[in-house]
């Protein structure tokens, strides 16, 4: 699970680090942070608990920042010059997923963008970016924002995620005004008496929330949520198996600077106005891929048998022609079998296509499979 960790640099810690250690977590370097990969119950148990009850994740290593401008339109247009999503028409209390793009249309990072409900915050957008990319992202944005829009880091905030079919009722017991929130809605409220900003979203395919809280209040919030017997702490190992079953991309693996949003199967995240108007980096390439299709595409893969195909596994046709590479793979506990995703050339990308995965030098039969592998259960 190590990701961009440099052994010669001291690892950073989240405000919940001592809690993880006290709970007996196995800690590993991840994106420069010392993070819990699993607790004593183990990855399989944690994965299944999240699918059946509610899992609590420390995602405070992610980058939280604000874009602050004179009004919503100015700030939204400044961000739209860097990402392909429609932010101008984002409503107060709405969150949207998008990608920071290079001039070639490659993905520099993926991110969440939220417009706050509070009219006093008009002109502010809340951003969450990946831990491994946050310094590069902030530098990239700061170099390209107009003079009247500022990037303000929110390094004094922690981020928790509660995910699973019981998450909504658990959160509603502590904050009754959250129960009727829609998927990808966001609001500021009080949770267990603490000021938080939460969105109904996550990275597991399950219903749930991501909760931003002042770092000084993170331990109190963590303990308040864990006080419910339906809630257990979940590490990075199960976070990865959950998001893989949900068919969700991990930056630096399933999407990166060499992949466009269209190749990555993320066309749904580019609204109609932006597809037509362009005006974002790499627009010419992305618009032509929308029109004519990309040469290669991200697909789901189901290997036959029980052996998982890991990242880097070569994908061939049954007669041995190399057609792609696996970008994420492992055992799917909910699916009860191996699952993977990767990129293949367009001519072999249809669901049901027979392919081979070359695992330890041996070709294993696999089929292109529809994603998600485990059904999404977001609140609609």
């Amino acid at each position: 699970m190590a990701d961009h960790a440099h052994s010669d640099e001291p690892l950073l810690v989240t405000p919940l680090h001592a809690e993880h250690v006290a709970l007996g977590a196995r800690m590993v370097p991840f994106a420069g942070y010392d993070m819990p990969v699993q607790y004593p119950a183990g990855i399989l148990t944690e994965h299944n608990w999240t699918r059946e009850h509610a899992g609590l994740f420390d995602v405070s290593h992610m980058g939280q920042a604000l874009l602050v401008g004179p009004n919503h339109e100015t700030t939204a247009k400044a961000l739209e010059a860097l990402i392909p999503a429609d932010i101008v028409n984002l409503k107060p209390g709405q969150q949207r997923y998008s990608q920071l793009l290079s001039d070639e249309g490659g993905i520099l990072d993926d991110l969440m963008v939220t417009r706050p409900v509070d009219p006093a915050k008009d002109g502010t957008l809340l951003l969450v970016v990946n831990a491994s990319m946050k310094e590069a992202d902030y530098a990239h944005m700061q170099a390209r924002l107009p003079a009247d829009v500022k990037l303000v880091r929110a390094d004094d905030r922690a981020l928790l995620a509660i995910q699973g079919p019981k998450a909504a009722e658990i959160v509603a017991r502590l904050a009754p005004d959250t129960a009727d929130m829609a998927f990808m809605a966001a609001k500021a409220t009080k949770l267990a008496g603490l000021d938080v900003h939460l969105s109904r979203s996550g990275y597991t395919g399950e219903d749930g929330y991501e909760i931003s809280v002042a770092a000084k209040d993170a331990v109190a919030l963590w303990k308040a949520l864990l006080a419910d017997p339906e809630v257990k702490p979940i590490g990075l190992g199960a976070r990865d198996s959950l998001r893989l079953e949900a068919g969700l991309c991990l930056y630096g693996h399933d999407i990166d600077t060499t992949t466009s949003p269209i190749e990555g199967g993320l066309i749904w995240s580019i609204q109609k106005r932006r597809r037509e108007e362009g005006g974002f980096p790499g627009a010419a390439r992305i618009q032509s891929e929308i029109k004519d299709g990309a040469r290669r595409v991200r697909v789901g893969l189901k290997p036959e048998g029980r052996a998982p195909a890991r990242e880097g596994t070569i994908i061939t046709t049954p007669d041995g022609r190399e057609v792609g590479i696996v970008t994420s793979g492992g055992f799917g506990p909910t699916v009860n079998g191996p699952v993977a995703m990767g990129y293949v050339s367009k001519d072999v990308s249809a669901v049901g296509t027979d392919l081979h995965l070359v695992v330890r030098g041996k070709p294993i039969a696999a089929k292109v499979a529809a994603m998600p592998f485990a059904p999404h259960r977001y609140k609609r």
Side-chain angles (χ1 to χ4, degrees):
M1 295 289 303
D3 188 38
H4 302 275
H6 303 290
S7 52
D8 53 344
E9 290 172 19
L11 290 172
L12 301 167
V13 295
T14 75
L16 295 167
H17 187 269
E19 300 302 307
H20 303 312
V21 172
L23 288 165
R26 184 156 77 78
M27 306 299 288
V28 298
F30 182 80
Y33 283 77
D34 197 30
M35 295 295 287
V37 71
Q38 64 178 83
Y39 298 89
I43 292 172
L44 184 67
T45 302
E46 292 172 31
H47 177 110
N48 290 333
W49 185 270
T50 306
R51 289 268 186 255
E52 289 157 19
H53 306 274
L56 184 62
F57 302 76
D58 177 13
V59 284
S60 305
H61 59 315
M62 303 285 278
Q64 298 184 71
L66 316 169
L67 286 185
V68 185
N71 53 59
H72 174 68
E73 185 158 355
T74 303
T75 309
K77 284 192 164 157
L79 185 55
E80 281 190 1
L82 304 175
I83 70 172
D86 180 348
I87 304 301
V88 168
N89 294 304
L90 194 60
K91 295 180 179 65
Q94 231 190 343
Q95 175 171 272
R96 204 156 260 176
Y97 167 81
S98 193
Q99 308 84 32
L100 268 180
L101 297 177
S102 72
D103 292 334
E104 297 73 45
I107 303 173
L108 300 169
D109 197 8
D110 57 347
L111 73 165
M112 287 289 194
V113 183
T114 307
R115 183 177 179 184
V117 175
D118 185 355
K121 294 204 165 82
D122 183 67
T124 295
L125 293 170
L126 313 177
L127 309 179
V128 178
V129 302
N130 281 300
S132 59
M133 299 308 297
K134 65 181 160 188
E135 299 305 330
D137 290 351
Y138 294 161
H140 176 85
M141 289 189 265
Q142 272 168 325
R144 287 161 181 81
L145 290 170
D148 56 353
V149 178
K150 298 275 181 280
L151 177 89
V152 180
R153 297 174 66 126
D155 294 340
D156 57 344
R157 297 190 73 77
L159 193 65
L160 280 64
I162 183 166
Q163 300 280 294
K166 302 287 171 63
E169 61 189 73
I170 290 157
V171 171
R173 286 201 275 276
L174 300 171
D177 63 343
T178 57
D180 58 350
M181 289 173 70
F183 180 56
M184 297 294 270
K187 71 188 323 180
T189 188
K190 275 198 183 316
L191 203 60
L194 305 167
D195 288 316
V196 300
H197 189 277
L198 53 73
S199 66
R200 197 155 195 170
S201 63
Y203 193 48
T204 60
E206 297 293 332
D207 186 21
Y209 300 85
E210 295 203 337
I211 310 165
S212 175
V213 64
K216 65 177 174 53
D217 293 333
V219 171
L221 180 61
W222 176 262
K223 287 185 163 162
L225 290 166
L226 276 185
D228 193 302
E230 289 275 9
V231 184
K232 297 259 194 279
I234 311 295
L236 290 176
R239 182 170 160 84
D240 195 53
S241 57
L242 289 158
R243 70 93 198 164
L244 176 56
E245 287 187 338
L248 302 173
C249 294
L250 175 61
Y251 188 78
H253 301 262
D254 311 297
I255 47 174
D256 59 26
T257 52
T258 70
T259 56
S260 76
I262 311 308
E263 290 177 331
L266 304 173
I267 187 170
W268 57 268
S269 67
I270 307 177
Q271 288 70 34
K272 185 166 180 273
R273 174 176 73 84
R274 303 300 320 270
R275 292 181 202 182
E276 290 168 1
E277 290 177 10
F280 48 84
R285 169 191 176 181
I286 288 167
Q287 287 171 318
S288 100
E289 287 179 349
I290 290 171
K291 186 165 149 284
D292 303 323
R295 287 197 312 269
R296 56 168 185 168
V297 284
R298 181 173 66 96
V299 295
L301 298 159
K302 270 202 174 158
E304 283 177 15
R306 307 295 283 172
R310 304 284 178 192
E311 179 179 355
T313 299
I314 299 294
I315 305 168
T316 72
T317 56
D319 62 6
R321 175 170 64 99
E322 197 172 307
V323 288
I325 192 161
V326 171
T327 53
S328 282
F331 183 78
T334 309
V335 177
N336 191 27
V339 290
M341 61 172 96
Y343 285 82
V344 297
S345 45
K346 189 167 67 172
D347 61 309
V348 293
S349 63
V351 169
T353 303
D354 287 309
L355 293 170
H356 281 174
L357 308 176
V358 185
V359 176
R360 295 196 190 90
K362 294 200 182 82
I364 288 177
K367 277 193 189 318
V368 175
M371 291 188 288
F373 300 105
H376 288 168
R377 297 200 285 189
Y378 305 131
K379 168 83 157 55
R380 293 296 186 184

